[in-house]
Amino acid sequence: MAQEDIFKKLISHCKEYGYVFQSSEVYDGLAAVYDYGQYGVELKNNIKKYWWDSMVLLHENVVGLDSAIFMHPTVWKASGHVDAFSDPLIDNKDSKKRYRADVLIEDQRAKFEAKIDKEIGKARKRFGDSFDEQQFRETNQRVLANQVKINELTERFTKALNDDDLVEIKQIIIDYEISCPVSGTRNWTDVRQFNLMFSTEIGSTAEGASTIYLRPETAQGIFVNYLNVQKTGRMRLPFGIAQTGKAFRNEIVARQFIFRMREFEQMEMQFFVRPGEEMKWFEFWKDLRMKWHQSLNFGAENYKFHNHEKLAHYANAATDIEFRFPFGFREVEGIHSRTDFDLKQHEKFSGRKIQYFDPELNESYTPYVIETSIGLDRMFLQVISASFDEEEIPKENGTKDIRTVLRLPAFLAPVKMAVFPLVKKDGLPDIARSIINELKFDFYCQYDEKDSIGKRYRRHDAIGTPFCVTVDHQTTEDQTVTIRERDSMKQERVKIEELRSIIREKVNFKNKLKDLDF
RNA sequence: GCGGGAGUAGCUCAGUGGUAGAGCAUCAGCUUCCCAAGCUGAGGGUCGCGGGUUCGAUCCCCGUUUUCCGCUCCA
């Protein structure tokens, strides 16, 4: 089956079985926003817990944090998001290329300057040593004409930028006959401002209000709390701060189901290290994070590192862990060496000293930072797309049967155990209910007595329940039940009193990570 | 944002210029069954939304929105 078809089936399956719904669907939906349904929220929470426990519980030098989504506006000036996230963009309709409108205009200005330089170059050749560039610039007609154009252009452009006048910016592009470098045409769309940050107002009255942003990343909440955590937690380098939380980006093109959403959840850890040791720790986390992904047993061949050739301004090393989604290898997690850029910026903008006193070296310095940043929603998509399977089962009459099954790792599955009475009489439902009442404090259990037993198994296959327990007539005699494993469909007869320990053992993630020397 | 495909019941889809159908799913009852699709019955859709053409539009036209793919973009 084509990958595209698999993806479509997966999306349908997510909706049909209560994993993911489109946001505000009754109102036709809201683009690139999704809601997690009754099973989706369980899976998502389980993934989050798996990450949290792997980072915080298993590393004594990593602690948690939950910073607010609202932050002081200066945070985003310091981080560079305010400047870097708001470019006026324009498209050429013929070449379909997108440009920053300000860059197009700057290029045009550079062309005028190049013309002047050409004139000056020619004149210098002509006049030799006696050439006076200053005088030439002031008197030559062609140079002056171009200089006027430059001045006019600069003036208009500056004014338009200051006024946020996008219509004027487009008019400048039209007036100066700026054409697309690729198609050569001047068939432009309107200029649009794309600020990737959502903004809103804080304060009860309009006058006293000030613009604040919904955070476009969670990392800054950690950086501005670095000193608080380091001092109150008596943390010594190297140490990390982990946090999960929502982030918001007004993406121009947000697509591919929950892969790129406007509201999404990140799971991040910022690891503070001594300057000069960052590469060692970069390698350490790179390795460990890959192990974590592979602990899910989705196949090592479905993961790869993608090293960044072009680094962001704050980074001196960066790699992505990519997973093979139905639409190809895509980033799930980024491991970045962010240097001391962020802490230094906050030091600069806040005027506060944000450093670490190293008792071993007996000196203060700004720590370097290794970041591991993973998209929870992408992780969700990874888990569910790797688990989705349509298995062919040969039937006794020779035909084939399709079994739709989510092969979720047991410790991530929403429902851990379903309990069925084989028939709904002879007291079997009561026994099934009592088993659930006993175990519902330990894990999510569900009861089902509707339809044939086979149908009930299949229903739970479709939502990924790893274990189905069936109460039959033998149960009334010897207190045993059958436990049926989702993937193998094999059944085993066990004592009711053993159920808790059997399932507990199988839904514990400890065994996954112990083998990995995590 | 550009180009292309799609939008009819919870899901997958059929259908016609005269106000809608199937399979699965759901619910109730029968059946009492260890791997879906046995029997009987029921509920559920202003055919994505708005406008136009028409006596009449789910169907034709225009717009819009959502979604998938490609390009583009992506701290």
Side-chain angles (χ1 to χ4, degrees), chain A residues 310-360:
Chain A
K310 207 178 91 186
L311 294 170
H313 61 264
Y314 57 73
N316 67 357
T319 193
D320 294 336
I321 293 175
E322 295 190 336
F323 176 74
R324 196 202 304 266
F325 286 97
F327 42 87
F329 272 102
R330 292 295 147 84
E331 177 192 353
V332 176
E333 174 159 8
I335 295 112
H336 298 177
S337 173
R338 293 181 77 129
T339 69
D340 57 1
F341 175 83
D342 297 280
L343 291 181
K344 278 257 173 73
Q345 283 293 103
H346 289 304
E347 197 164 30
K348 187 172 139 196
F349 278 74
S350 69
R352 301 268 288 263
K353 190 177 166 190
I354 304 178
Q355 294 197 341
Y356 174 72
F357 178 76
D358 191 327
E360 283 176 41

Side-chain angles (χ1 to χ4, degrees), chain A residues 156 169 193 317 496:
Chain A
R156 277 183 73 181
I169 290 177
Q193 187 95 42
I496 289 176

Side-chain angles (χ1 to χ4, degrees), chain A residues 265-301:
Chain A
E265 192 155 353
Q266 291 186 309
M267 306 191 289
E268 301 200 314
M269 195 273 302
Q270 308 292 334
F271 198 70
F272 300 92
V273 304
R274 194 182 275 176
E277 293 185 352
E278 69 271 18
M279 290 319 290
K280 183 180 91 184
W281 289 108
F282 177 76
E283 292 299 327
F284 172 85
W285 284 108
K286 189 178 155 182
D287 180 54
L288 199 62
R289 293 307 305 152
M290 183 58 105
K291 276 185 182 173
W292 184 85
H293 284 276
Q294 298 195 342
S295 72
L296 299 173
N297 289 335
F298 295 150
E301 73 281 6

Side-chain angles (χ1 to χ4, degrees), chain A residues 438-498:
Chain A
E438 190 57 35
L439 295 181
K440 68 184 177 189
F441 297 97
D442 297 271
F443 28 72
Y444 191 173
C445 305
Q446 278 194 354
Y447 174 83
D448 196 357
E449 63 176 25
K450 182 91 171 75
D451 298 314
S452 72
I453 191 76
K455 207 161 184 173
R456 284 178 268 168
Y457 286 143
R458 296 302 172 87
R459 263 205 291 265
H460 277 277
D461 287 341
I463 64 167
T465 305
F467 303 106
C468 291
V469 168
T470 301
V471 174
D472 55 20
H473 290 99
Q474 193 181 328
T475 309
T476 60
E477 291 158 20
D478 63 5
Q479 296 292 300
T480 62
V481 291
T482 61
I483 177 165
R484 177 255 196 193
E485 202 272 325
R486 178 196 62 206
D487 295 334
S488 63
M489 296 165 62
K490 293 259 164 55
Q491 283 182 292
E492 202 186 333
R493 187 163 278 278
V494 301
K495 285 201 159 61
I496 289 176
E497 62 196 35
E498 292 171 346

Side-chain angles (χ1 to χ4, degrees), chain A residues 99-110:
Chain A
Y99 301 93
R100 280 174 55 174
D102 55 328
V103 170
L104 283 178
I105 293 173
E106 294 287 355
D107 286 351
Q108 185 63 27
R109 188 158 66 186

Side-chain angles (χ1 to χ4, degrees), chain A residues 8 19 33 69 88 92 156 181 199 201 207 232 236 340 348 380 424 500 509:
Chain A
K8 281 186 173 163
Y19 273 90
V33 184
I69 289 173
N92 183 272
R156 277 183 73 181
S199 61
E201 314 249 289
E207 302 112 62
T232 60
R236 299 180 67 155
D340 57 1
K348 187 172 139 196
F380 183 102
K424 53 183 168 190
R500 176 182 283 115
F509 70 85

